[in-house]
Amino acid sequence: MLCFALFAAPAFAADELADMNAVSQAWDRYAQLSSRDDPASAALLAPSSLEYYLFLRDAARAASADQMRRIPVSDRVIVYALRASHNDAQLAQLDGVGLARLCLSRGWCGVAPPDEGEALPSLSHVTLIGSDRALGELGPPTGTNFQFGPEFVRADGAWKVVTESLVNDESIQIGLYAQQAGMSEADMAQSLLARLLGDDTDTPPLASLEQPLQDDAALRAGLNDRWPKYLAVYKTRVAALERKAEDGDSLAQLGLGAMLYTGQPSDWVVQDKARGMKLLETSSNGGNATASLLVVGALLDTSDGKGKPPSAERLTQALPHVRRAAESGQANAMSMLSTLYFNGAAGLKRDCRQADEWIARAEDAGSQKARNDRVWNLAVCPIPQQRDPARALTLAQRMIADADTLSGAELDTLAAVYAANGKFDEAVDFQNRAIAKFADAPNTLQRARARLKAYSARRDWVQDYNALELPIE
């Protein structure tokens, strides 16, 4: 939910560029050293990361089985490895720097060495957040996502890596690998533990490592007070979106706007629908078709259960966003634009030919209901020179063949097609079938009965009103 692509980089002041370069250099140095299992990489860790390593040390010493289950799996495996390879006295002698150096020297932590022919991960972009915090991206945008990576803080005049900021992503990835391999998380953890301990060590079963090295109630209780803020990085990512949105990034505006409008995730944002909508509209106006769809959905939302259709003002406000999304190839937007043309809504002049062009494109783009809408439009268009009953009947053949499986609305369409082609007996038959399925929609039922009356009198029917003004059922 928090990764959205960067279209264009804004201009930055010289001091900001210097800081961004310094962050990238700090990461490059950390990646180089840690990938070689060089314990000197511990010097590049943030103060909070050294506290985090102290937590892992004390978790290995005293964490209960219940606490172990709370630790993200990538860290849990490290705690298992510490229990399997050290006794309590050995761990007690290590401070945060000492444990970090131990983990890094054994390849348990840090950046994995690249495969042959591949390079170490570098930062494709750095977002500065205030004067002493930054967030890196581990690759260019995918087209829909930022590839957010490590967090950094400035400490003692230098940029440092907040290594715990990567733990949740690593654990999620481990879970995905396990799922793809058809393994349980426990089986995957056992496999990873064997890899950490190496081939020269008999890997103990996880069950034997669930119990702490010592029964220290005070140390165990203190772990709860010192629990790493594994999810704090997501708030940093929201802050990065804020910065990117301010700098004119349309997809950052999309991501932040969607979160503010919905108020989700509630742990990271406070709902602000007005600001969220403004950001979404700005993103849409910047050419983001996904934002266009969200704006349209918000403006035309009728889920409040009051049955009121969208106002003419909202339809007009939505029109440019509908058009932008339709022109980008979004099937639902094509269908909506067709509906606006057919009904002469949102300030558009009624135009059944334009409606047919857009609904045909919607069908080509995969809209499941487009064929029914297209046949309906051709059969009941109120503009004589744009109405085409014969073409409607031709396009309806697949629906006719599947008549026993059709919905009430689709049966209603076939009745209108038959009436438009002078086949009134068939029209009456299909209209009666449609009416049988409209029992829970009284307004729709009333209109369907009016059409049945016309067909029974050997008259066809055209839609000369704006259906978007009708109550929602």
Side-chain angles (χ1 to χ4, degrees):
M1 291 182 67
L2 295 179
C3 303
F4 293 95
L6 176 65
F7 272 170
F12 295 101
D15 55 344
E16 288 186 319
L17 285 174
D19 273 335
M20 292 165 71
N21 288 332
V23 169
S24 292
Q25 290 165 7
W27 171 257
D28 289 343
R29 183 66 175 156
Y30 175 75
Q32 290 167 1
L33 292 175
S34 65
S35 68
R36 300 171 189 162
D37 300 340
D38 189 335
S41 51
L44 296 163
L45 296 178
S48 67
S49 296
L50 300 179
E51 292 295 325
Y52 152 76
Y53 276 108
L54 272 179
F55 169 84
L56 293 183
R57 181 201 70 177
D58 290 341
R61 297 177 64 198
S64 67
D66 289 333
Q67 287 175 319
M68 288 291 288
R69 282 189 285 271
R70 286 173 57 200
I71 299 173
V73 65
S74 64
D75 273 0
R76 199 183 318 146
V77 173
I78 294 173
V79 174
Y80 287 140
L82 290 170
R83 286 182 175 180
S85 58
H86 291 72
N87 61 39
D88 183 67
Q90 291 170 326
L91 290 177
Q93 293 176 359
L94 298 173
D95 60 9
V97 174
L99 190 68
R101 290 175 64 86
L102 169 69
C103 288
L104 290 161
S105 66
R106 297 194 178 189
W108 295 356
C109 309
V111 176
D115 293 333
E116 186 175 352
E118 295 188 356
L120 285 168
S122 60
L123 301 183
S124 63
H125 187 77
V126 173
T127 301
L128 299 175
I129 305 166
S131 59
D132 295 321
R133 192 161 46 126
L135 187 68
E137 295 166 47
L138 290 171
T142 64
T144 56
N145 299 326
F146 285 132
Q147 298 189 66
F148 283 135
E151 185 175 350
F152 300 82
V153 296
R154 197 198 308 263
D156 299 324
W159 286 100
K160 306 283 187 175
V161 180
V162 182
T163 188
E164 66 270 26
S165 65
L166 295 170
V167 170
N168 206 55
D169 288 344
E170 291 169 352
S171 295
I172 290 172
Q173 194 63 52
I174 289 171
L176 291 174
Y177 286 149
Q179 185 178 21
Q180 291 167 2
M183 300 171 65
S184 68
E185 185 182 88
D187 288 340
M188 178 61 77
Q190 184 76 62
S191 175
L192 292 173
L193 177 61
R195 188 180 304 175
L196 294 191
L197 295 178
D199 297 333
D200 297 334
T201 304
D202 291 332
T203 306
L206 297 187
S208 69
L209 301 173
E210 288 291 332
Q211 297 304 313
L213 297 178
Q214 66 159 305
D215 185 14
D216 186 329
L219 186 56
R220 185 165 59 248
L223 288 174
N224 293 328
D225 296 328
R226 297 159 48 206
W227 207 270
K229 296 179 180 178
Y230 289 112
L231 301 183
V233 65
Y234 292 116
K235 288 189 176 181
T236 301
R237 292 175 182 181
V238 172
L241 286 178
E242 287 269 10
R243 175 65 192 272
K244 288 175 178 289
E246 291 171 2
D247 289 336
D249 182 316
S250 67
L251 287 182
Q253 292 162 350
L254 164 63
L256 183 60
M259 287 189 289
L260 289 172
Y261 188 83
T262 62
Q264 297 295 327
S266 59
D267 288 342
W268 308 334
V269 296
V270 176
Q271 187 172 30
D272 186 340
K273 296 185 74 169
R275 184 174 176 229
M277 175 60 80
K278 184 176 180 180
L279 282 166
L280 290 173
E281 288 190 287
T282 301
S283 177
S284 174
N285 292 335
N288 189 296
T290 302
S292 301
L293 280 178
L294 292 179
V295 170
V296 172
L299 289 173
L300 306 187
D301 182 22
T302 58
S303 61
D304 60 6
K306 296 180 180 179
K308 291 184 178 180
S311 67
E313 292 76 15
R314 288 210 163 206
L315 288 171
T316 301
Q317 185 180 352
L319 177 60
H321 305 286
V322 173
R323 190 181 296 280
R324 184 173 297 113
E327 290 172 348
S328 77
Q330 300 283 350
N332 289 341
M334 294 174 184
S335 180
M336 173 55 71
L337 187 55
S338 172
T339 298
L340 294 176
Y341 270 117
F342 184 77
N343 287 279
L348 293 174
K349 181 180 179 182
R350 174 170 264 158
D351 188 330
C352 299
R353 290 198 178 102
Q354 284 283 341
D356 185 59
E357 288 182 17
W358 281 109
I359 201 63
R361 287 187 61 182
E363 184 174 16
D364 290 346
S367 172
Q368 296 299 306
K369 64 185 288 291
R371 177 58 64 92
N372 179 72
D373 291 349
R374 190 178 185 193
V375 171
W376 174 267
N377 293 353
L378 290 169
V380 303
C381 174
I383 303 172
Q385 61 270 29
Q386 294 183 354
R387 193 181 185 203
D388 196 339
R391 190 164 169 231
L393 186 58
T394 298
L395 290 171
Q397 292 306 304
R398 186 186 68 195
M399 296 171 63
I400 293 169
D402 296 334
D404 290 342
T405 67
L406 298 184
S407 67
E410 290 166 323
L411 294 168
D412 195 14
T413 294
L414 290 184
V417 171
Y418 276 122
N421 284 275
K423 299 178 181 292
F424 294 106
D425 291 339
E426 291 89 340
V428 168
D429 176 40
F430 276 96
Q431 195 65 19
N432 277 319
R433 294 198 218 179
I435 285 172
K437 297 191 176 187
F438 287 151
D440 295 332
N443 294 324
T444 300
L445 180 61
Q446 183 179 2
R447 291 190 294 273
R449 284 174 173 163
R451 285 192 285 277
L452 176 61
K453 184 176 180 180
Y455 304 155
S456 299
R458 319 295 286 183
R459 299 194 310 271
D460 62 1
W461 181 88
V462 297
Q463 182 187 313
D464 56 2
Y465 55 83
N466 179 357
L468 294 174
E469 297 176 346
L470 298 176
I472 304 296
E473 291 186 309

